[in-house]
């Protein structure tokens, strides 16, 4: 009998759902809007219908299939309580007992578990990806924000309250750039995709770089993909953005190493598609910030999760991790 | 039969040895010089003689005694290998196989384990002190340097290579003060006892504070005890030192919370004797730096280990932790 897991990624706009096999391959997937109506019961029902349809469609092809569980990645997801708590970008207010509500519709499902998206990505890396044989590693997800997941002795670190692994909100530059969370100088304000955009404009302002390939785009429009394309064409501003972003990120990763001494740090997300443009300065900066006992030991690796499916695949990995216990 | 553990603290100048009971009480203690001759075999022999003498003396009083093991706290101590590696302040060069060498003299001892002093203090807090019922906490030791020990799910985090928990060397102010390790801007350069001294002179320089109670001491002479005494007398410079140190430390502790979400952070060492002078601004700063999901949750507590014996007691706690496994 083929065993599969359901992965659900609750995003601000859409909720992606996929049926994932033990090798991390997405067999079928779908998505429904994450509603703005704030009615959690209605959302859970819509979600249940979408999940059941997917299971049905995959069973048409392979009748001999066991669905072991459902893993959910969600902003402000609390693993211990199965709740989403005060997520600023969702319409559901306060503490939402997500797993408890979903459990009513799946009373016999072996595993139902929820965590935040970056934690799910870390578990995905451990179950299906480049961290398969690692017991101690950290995952940084670089995108609109910067998330992270910490693995110690083969287990994800949830901490005392279920929320551990918010490395994007460590302070990089005291009193520095405004972060999305309202505080100042956080790593996320420098090393996320919008952070890179801000760096690009900072450099153009400093050098009055009207000839840069990046000088034709508005502050709203410019994204990390455009910066990468410009860097490939040798644009000086774009190249410096990667240098500077790597310097900042390396400083942050060194702080993480000094806390946890991991075997590797995985980087995931849009900006990492730039390869050595971002990996090289990050590696150099991290090494420069490390105590001698940590130098030339800790690998910085690209995530092996496929970009498009990573959120679903990561969430589904929670199921295998639960079954393991 | 009364069970006891030996605790050994390898310091730069002296090596302290104690016999510790299950309640963390030091029954007898002694110390020998940590040699400058660099001959590890000779040192291990001297240490063995001192340990045996202590065991003998305590057995004279209580014949019905079982020594379960020896725990060692040492700079750059590697738990996994039982080694001291490239410790800058010891005369033994390179990698010293401490546990292996000691094992030859104690072939039947149930537990022989080594880690760095801050990790040992964290285990001491967990076995004998204020963290007895905690599964997730962090220990910061403030002294000549700043050490730390991280506990996740009831176990000390050693990381991939045995050296995790060097939070004193996270970057607080990029490009800031020179740290003892040679890097710049590390937490240790601001929040250690010498860091507080530097802050005091920084403030006196800024304000030309010739009337401060601290203005009569040389840069070499001034210590954190004198700053505390001056603060008690309402000295403005001294009071600002604590305010500023707390601001910096709170920023660092928030970074630790964002990594690990502990139940509590314990502070240990000389500067913490100043009580609310240091705890209040540290708490306020940490809270100001925390994401909303972490606010008003994480306790900052004074260590319950007795200052004089803490190093021995912490090292001995390693033994009970090993026996537990």
């Amino acid at each position: 009998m083929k065993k599969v897991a359901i992965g659900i990624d609750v995003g601000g706009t859409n909720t992606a759902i996929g049926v994932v096999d033990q090798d991390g391959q997405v067999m079928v997937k779908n998505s429904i809007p994450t509603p703005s109506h704030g009615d959690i019961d209605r959302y859970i029902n819509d979600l249940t219908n979408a999940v059941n349809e997917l299971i049905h469609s995959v069973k048409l092809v392979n009748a001999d299939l066991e669905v072991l569980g459902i893993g959910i990645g969600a902003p402000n997801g609390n693993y211990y309580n199965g709740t989403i708590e005060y997520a600023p970008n969702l319409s559901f207010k306060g503490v939402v007992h997500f797993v408890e509500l979903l459990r009513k519709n799946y009373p016999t499902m072996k595993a139902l578990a929820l965590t935040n998206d970056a934690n799910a990505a870390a578990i995905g890396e451990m179950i299906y990806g480049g961290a398969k044989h690692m017991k101690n590693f950290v995952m940084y997800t670089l995108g609109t924000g910067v998330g992270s997941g910490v693995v110690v002795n083969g287990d994800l670190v949830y901490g005392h309250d279920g929320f551990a692994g918010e490395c994007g909100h460590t302070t990089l530059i005291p009193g520095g750039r405004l972060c999305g969370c309202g505080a100042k100088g956080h790593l996320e304000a420098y090393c996320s995709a919008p952070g890179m955009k801000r760096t690009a404009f900072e450099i153009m302002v400093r050098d009055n770089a009207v000839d840069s390939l990046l000088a034709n785009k508005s502050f709203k429009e410019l994204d990390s993909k455009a910066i990468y394309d410009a860097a490939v064409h040798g644009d000086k501003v774009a190249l410096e953005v990667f240098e500077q972003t790597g310097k900042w990120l390396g400083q942050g990763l060194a702080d993480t190493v000094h806390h946890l001494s991991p075997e590797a740090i995985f980087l995931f997300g849009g900006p990492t598609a730039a390869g050595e443009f971002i990996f090289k300065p990050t590696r150099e900066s991290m090494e420069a910030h490390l105590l001698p006992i940590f130098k030339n030991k800790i690998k910085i690796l690209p995530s092996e999760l496929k970009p498009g499916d990573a959120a679903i695949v990561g969430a589904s990995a929670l199921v295998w991790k639960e079954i393991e216990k």
Side-chain angles (χ1 to χ4, degrees), chain A:
Chain A
M1 188 180 281
K2 190 176 172 75
K3 293 180 197 313
V4 299
I6 310 289
I8 297 177
D9 177 57
V10 181
T13 314
N14 286 300
T15 300
I17 312 151
V19 180
V20 183
D21 71 14
Q22 247 170 315
D23 300 320
Q25 297 300 318
V26 177
M27 301 167 71
V28 287
K29 62 181 173 179
N30 198 359
S31 81
I32 62 169
T34 305
S36 56
H37 56 54
D39 182 343
I40 184 68
D41 293 318
R42 212 168 114 197
Y43 175 51
I44 291 284
N45 275 341
D46 293 347
L47 192 59
T48 301
N49 290 336
V51 168
N52 290 344
E53 264 176 41
L54 269 193
I55 294 175
H56 182 71
S57 75
V58 80
K59 280 194 172 169
L60 286 179
V61 184
N62 188 337
D64 195 28
L65 200 86
E66 189 189 2
V67 179
L68 289 179
I70 303 175
I72 304 128
N76 285 25
N78 184 325
Y79 171 77
Y80 291 136
N81 305 327
T83 48
I84 299 175
E85 307 192 5
Y86 306 98
N89 298 323
L90 299 181
S91 64
F92 316 111
K93 296 300 161 214
V95 177
V96 176
H97 294 268
F98 203 95
V99 166
E100 196 183 307
L101 291 168
L102 205 61
R103 175 56 83 189
K104 288 182 191 160
N105 298 341
Y106 299 98
T108 62
M109 193 74 86
K110 277 186 189 158
L112 272 185
L114 176 150
T115 188
N116 79 34
D117 39 1
N119 285 348
I123 297 178
E125 202 69 47
M126 181 162 50
I127 299 287
Y128 310 118
K132 261 184 193 164
H133 306 289
M134 292 186 188
K135 293 282 181 197
N136 294 279
F137 72 93
V138 178
M139 175 80 144
Y140 268 72
T141 61
L142 311 175
T144 311
V146 175
S148 68
V150 173
V151 172
V152 167
N153 296 333
D155 284 313
L156 202 98
V157 175
Y158 291 106
H160 181 59
D161 62 358
F163 290 121
E166 288 288 355
C167 300
H169 297 278
T170 54
T171 299
L172 209 65
I173 316 282
R177 290 183 188 168
L178 187 66
C179 180
C181 73
K184 280 185 176 173
H186 284 178
L187 187 142
E188 177 169 302
Y190 295 86
C191 304
S192 60
M196 290 176 66
K197 184 256 299 278
R198 290 160 86 172
T199 305
F201 277 91
E202 209 167 65
I203 295 167
M204 286 191 285
V205 165
R206 186 198 66 196
D207 293 352
N208 195 27
V210 288
D211 295 333
S212 167
L213 295 170
L214 306 178
N216 298 320
K217 299 222 172 179
S218 72
F219 189 68
K220 195 168 175 182
E221 202 184 4
L222 186 65
D223 60 15
S224 62
K225 173 73 169 60
I227 300 172
Y228 171 64
D229 291 340
V232 169
H233 286 91
D235 185 80
K236 268 177 66 180
V237 172
L239 288 168
E240 192 178 336
V241 170
F242 282 109
E243 277 298 317
Q244 192 52 60
T245 305
K247 269 187 194 160
W248 282 320
L249 184 56
Q251 180 191 322
L253 299 190
D255 285 353
T256 294
V257 170
H258 286 147
H259 277 82
L260 295 158
S261 186
E263 179 175 353
I265 297 178
F266 288 86
L267 302 183
F268 174 83
T272 67
E276 283 302 292
F277 280 125
I278 183 75
F279 278 85
K280 185 169 177 284
T282 301
R283 213 180 286 124
E284 287 171 356
S285 167
M286 182 184 82
E287 288 295 336
H289 282 91
L290 289 178
L291 282 181
I293 43 169
F294 297 117
K295 278 189 200 290
N296 303 310
K297 272 186 183 177
I298 289 104
K299 293 167 268 198
I300 303 181
L301 299 171
S303 166
E304 292 183 13
L305 299 178
K306 264 185 274 176
D309 291 336
I312 292 173
V313 168
S316 76
L318 269 168
V319 172
W320 308 111
K321 191 71 192 156
E322 287 299 298
I323 300 281
E324 237 180 45
K325 282 186 186 167

